[in-house]
Amino acid sequence: MQQVAFPLFAKLLNIKDIISKTPESITVIGEFVFNYGLYALALLIIIISFYFYLRNNWVGFTRDRYSSQFPFLCYRSFQCAKLLKAIATMKGGNMNLLAVLEQLKYWVNPYLQWHVKKMIKGTSRGRSKADFFGIGLLSEVQLIRLRALQEYSANNYSEALMMLATTVEKDAITTLKKQSKWVCYSIYTLAAIFMLVFLEGFAALTFLIDM
């Protein structure tokens, strides 16, 4: 039964023709995946785990430079939006900015805590918000929006922060959608490689059966 079924199935799919026409580069990649696929998967898991650790705990001015690059950019934007909403909500309860920040520094992760402490320092020294608020968390365009919203909502700072938080979230979603296309293309490419490797192995099996 097997001697009839496998060769017949192979002929119906023209697997031999597919494999014979497979580009050499694809074959080389397929062999790499076959021989080192598990090691590559383990390395990928380590890299992803390291990224999740870094995004929450890595702080400093070097982090600020990398925060403008994907994937740290999206994380920064979503965290910034969350922080702005929290500040806006608490200030809406007639708390002053310094008191709000002093409470928030105990509730946020180390990354946001570092920025909150910088805001506390700037506020306690009586500096203008334009000199410290949002620096390192907001892009240049978003900082300009913040200044404009502050003038537009001069008597309601909480409203300005909430409006900016909504804008920051929209910017982050737009960036994420653009970058996710490359992730999808990579997944499709890997899926195609795995399929070719499977077909090559199946074709090798049918050759052995024919013999």
Side-chain angles (χ1 to χ4, degrees):
M1 182 66 179
Q2 291 180 346
Q3 293 179 351
V4 175
F6 279 110
L8 178 60
F9 187 63
K11 290 177 182 178
L12 288 174
L13 291 179
N14 294 321
I15 293 177
K16 294 180 182 180
D17 293 338
I18 293 174
I19 298 301
S20 64
K21 295 177 182 178
T22 301
E24 184 178 354
S25 58
I26 297 296
T27 303
V28 171
I29 295 174
E31 290 177 353
F32 173 82
V33 173
F34 181 78
N35 293 320
Y36 305 103
L38 290 178
Y39 299 105
L41 180 61
L43 179 61
L44 179 62
I45 293 174
I46 292 173
I47 292 174
I48 293 175
S49 301
F50 189 55
Y51 162 71
F52 278 106
Y53 173 80
L54 283 181
R55 73 174 194 174
N56 292 329
N57 298 280
W58 182 24
V59 298
F61 295 104
T62 303
R63 168 64 187 271
D64 284 346
R65 289 199 296 268
Y66 282 96
S67 288
S68 61
Q69 306 296 325
F70 184 84
F72 290 107
L73 173 59
C74 291
Y75 178 76
R76 182 191 72 177
S77 297
F78 284 120
Q79 290 295 304
C80 178
K82 182 174 70 173
L83 180 64
L84 292 176
K85 287 181 178 180
I87 295 174
T89 301
M90 295 176 71
K91 275 188 64 62
N94 296 323
M95 293 179 63
N96 63 63
L97 181 60
L98 184 59
V100 169
L101 294 173
E102 286 288 354
Q103 289 196 26
L104 282 176
K105 74 177 181 181
Y106 298 109
W107 301 345
V108 296
N109 60 47
Y111 171 66
L112 283 182
Q113 189 178 78
W114 188 71
H115 285 284
V116 170
K117 287 180 178 179
K118 288 196 299 181
M119 294 179 190
I120 291 173
K121 185 181 294 185
T123 304
S124 60
R125 292 179 178 178
R127 296 169 58 191
S128 169
K129 292 185 180 69
D131 294 333
F132 66 88
F133 195 88
I135 303 297
L137 279 174
L138 297 169
S139 67
E140 293 296 329
V141 174
Q142 291 165 348
L143 285 172
I144 294 173
R145 289 175 184 166
L146 176 60
R147 309 304 177 234
L149 287 171
Q150 287 173 339
E151 294 180 5
Y152 175 76
S153 305
N155 298 324
N156 194 338
Y157 191 65
S158 297
E159 180 184 354
L161 292 180
M162 194 64 74
M163 292 173 64
L164 180 64
T166 302
T167 303
V168 171
E169 280 186 336
K170 289 181 179 179
D171 291 344
I173 292 172
T174 300
T175 301
L176 189 60
K177 286 181 178 179
K178 289 180 180 179
Q179 297 296 334
S180 64
K181 292 181 180 179
W182 294 103
V183 176
C184 289
Y185 293 151
S186 300
I187 293 174
Y188 294 151
T189 301
L190 288 175
I193 291 172
F194 278 115
M195 181 59 69
L196 288 170
V197 172
F198 169 78
L199 291 175
E200 185 175 14
F202 187 81
L205 178 62
T206 58
F207 296 159
L208 291 175
I209 293 175
D210 285 341
M211 294 176 60

